[in-house]
Amino acid sequence: MAKIIPFKAVRPSPDKVGLVTCRNYEDYSAAELAAWLNFNPYSFLHVINPAYANVQSISLDKRFKGVALKYKDFKDENIFIQEERPAFYLYEINTKNKIFTGIIAGTSIKDYQNNHIKKHEDTLEYRVEMFKNYLHQTRFNTEPVLITYPDSIELTTWILLKKQNEPLSQFSTTNKEKHTLWKIDTQSDIDWLADHFENIPDLYIADGHHRSASAEMLYKDDKHLGNPNLDYFMSFLIAESNVKIYEFNRIIKDLNNYTKEDFLKKIAQHFIIKAKEQELWKPQNKFEFGMYLDGNFYALFYKNEKIKNDSFLENLDAQILYDTILNPILGIEDLRNDERIKYIPGKQSITAIKEVIDEGNYKVGFMLYPSDISEIKTLADNNLIMPPKSTYIEPKFRSGLIVYEL
């Protein structure tokens, strides 16, 4: 049974919401970041990146305190306003290719601990600790965990009905997305939605494993303070069929001292190799891989006799690539920290891989077929962990749109 709660959100004033919200901080190049900070005084980037010109020269502790102070400034200037009563929110993101619609709510730390909110990715302890310290210092979060729920005709019908109401805010962004937010605050709607999720046995984290782990760590450290908001973390709940899952492709700096010919012979032990020359070929099915090497594309087909029908993790394409090529041939053991490997989201054209390799800093690139939600759920149900950077999942939430205070 999944427990969700409404909460008293902090959000941008309606006339400034399009100016305040921003993409994830890490999505901006240095030039973009400087431009937004110089020319948009309302951007939430000012909050999450205070004193940005000197950000590399100050400690994390001072930076987090600066975030808290700048957030207070935004509230004092009425750029942010506090809701008077708890509410759920309905949020729609309309992109060029897809419309995403989900529910913003508080989800239970106890459900997370009891594995009713299931995970499929491992976390890095230092990142969890760092974000926990961030939450402890700033006392707010604006990046919800993306969580999927099973498709429900009843819930889909309810959402369509609520979308006919006047939205709380609506705005477009420079990357040509349209964002719409509705507030769900009548007691009957709140009760109906909470009751509906009470009948869902399990939820699944799609994106945000470090954020949820940090929320749990903060709960353990600070629950003695008696703040009920610590019992929950903000989530964006979306139907399984509504998420978009891309692969993460890989580029490698060298062939681990193999010649091209020897390298091809090595991978031929596990794959049928077909030269595609200049054709921009990408996998069409599971157990297929694309490769770009020395100016040419190749199709790699995993040999069927190697497939193990009873092993969920070993049948995952990202794991197959690691077990057959990246580790034994190219000598890459630590997928998170080895500087010889870089990851490119599958939503980018494979020409991006070609261009990077043609520039000479990388030697070989691999294109994967994206996982689907059933693979993610199967791994989570069996307490298995995907290799790092196995999935790039959309939608991506706008920072500063909804703030959950701690």
Side-chain angles (χ1 to χ4, degrees), residues 44 47 67-68 71 134-135 138-142 403-406:
F44 192 68
V47 176
V67 170
Y71 174 65
Y134 169 88
L135 295 174
T138 64
R139 310 312 299 186
F140 75 85
N141 181 31
T142 186
V403 181
Y404 182 86
E405 290 194 336
L406 299 164

Side-chain angles (χ1 to χ4, degrees), residues 19 21 36 50 62 80 91 94-95 98 121 155 200 209 213 246 257 276 281 287 301 303 306 331 343 354 391-392:
L19 294 169
T21 66
W36 280 108
K62 287 184 177 179
F80 277 130
Y91 177 39
N94 194 332
T95 72
K98 194 171 178 67
E121 285 187 5
L155 186 51
I200 298 175
H209 287 79
Y246 296 92
N257 295 320
K276 295 292 182 177
W281 190 86
F287 307 121
F301 300 94
K303 293 180 179 178
K306 297 291 185 180
Y343 302 91
K354 181 181 185 302
T391 56
Y392 178 90

Side-chain angles (χ1 to χ4, degrees), residues 6-257:
F7 60 95
K8 291 183 180 180
V10 175
R11 56 182 176 81
S13 61
D15 63 315
K16 297 182 179 68
V17 61
L19 294 169
V20 172
T21 66
C22 61
R23 306 194 309 271
N24 182 283
Y25 167 74
E26 295 179 350
D27 288 348
Y28 293 88
S29 67
E32 283 182 302
L33 185 62
W36 280 108
L37 291 168
N38 285 328
F39 297 106
N40 181 3
Y42 299 113
S43 175
F44 192 68
L45 290 168
H46 286 285
V47 176
I48 56 179
N49 194 29
Y52 71 95
N54 301 312
V55 72
Q56 299 299 328
S57 60
I58 62 175
S59 67
L60 282 177
D61 184 64
K62 287 184 177 179
R63 182 180 177 186
F64 295 162
K65 288 179 180 178
V67 170
L69 289 172
K70 193 65 179 178
Y71 174 65
K72 183 178 182 300
D73 288 345
F74 267 45
K75 291 183 71 176
D76 291 344
E77 295 168 10
N78 293 320
I79 299 171
F80 277 130
I81 56 176
Q82 175 86 57
E83 292 283 15
E84 294 182 357
R85 61 177 186 263
F88 292 120
Y89 296 87
L90 189 62
Y91 177 39
E92 178 182 275
I93 307 169
N94 194 332
T95 72
K96 290 186 296 182
N97 302 315
K98 194 171 178 67
I99 297 176
F100 303 98
T101 307
I103 298 156
I104 304 169
T107 46
S108 168
I109 292 287
K110 288 185 178 178
D111 284 349
Y112 178 85
Q113 292 174 329
N114 295 332
N115 208 32
H116 290 305
I117 297 176
K118 297 193 173 187
K119 312 95 180 167
H120 69 268
E121 285 187 5
D122 207 354
T123 55
L124 294 173
E125 185 175 351
Y126 82 91
R127 286 190 62 191
V128 173
E129 179 75 28
M130 181 179 68
F131 194 61
K132 185 269 294 184
N133 291 337
Y134 169 88
L135 295 174
H136 179 78
Q137 292 276 13
T138 64
R139 310 312 299 186
F140 75 85
N141 181 31
T142 186
E143 295 185 1
V145 177
L146 183 64
I147 291 181
T148 65
Y149 59 81
D151 283 71
S152 160
I153 294 176
E154 189 179 17
L155 186 51
T156 299
T157 302
W158 182 87
I159 288 173
L160 289 172
L161 181 64
K162 297 306 165 186
K163 284 169 65 172
Q164 295 176 18
N165 295 335
E166 185 73 20
L168 188 65
S169 60
Q170 191 171 68
F171 61 97
S172 296
T173 58
T174 53
N175 59 347
K176 298 183 179 180
E177 292 180 351
K178 182 180 177 181
H179 299 256
T180 309
L181 186 72
W182 294 265
K183 182 161 64 172
I184 309 297
D185 62 348
T186 66
Q187 195 59 50
S188 59
D189 281 333
I190 287 173
D191 291 344
W192 185 92
L193 197 56
D195 288 345
H196 183 88
F197 275 87
E198 281 277 355
N199 293 316
I200 298 175
D202 298 309
L203 302 174
Y204 293 80
I205 296 176
D207 190 24
H209 287 79
H210 285 89
R211 279 165 269 162
S212 52
S214 298
E216 183 198 20
M217 184 180 289
L218 183 70
Y219 166 79
K220 290 178 178 177
D221 286 358
D222 290 0
K223 62 182 177 181
H224 65 279
L225 300 175
N227 180 356
N229 285 0
L230 292 173
D231 297 347
Y232 300 87
F233 56 91
M234 184 169 64
S235 294
F236 185 38
L237 301 150
I238 190 167
E240 292 172 359
S241 64
N242 198 208
V243 296
K244 176 64 177 176
I245 304 174
Y246 296 92
E247 73 281 9
F248 261 111
N249 297 315
R250 284 96 160 99
I251 53 176
I252 318 296
K253 285 193 172 182
D254 58 68
L255 297 183
N256 198 26
N257 295 320

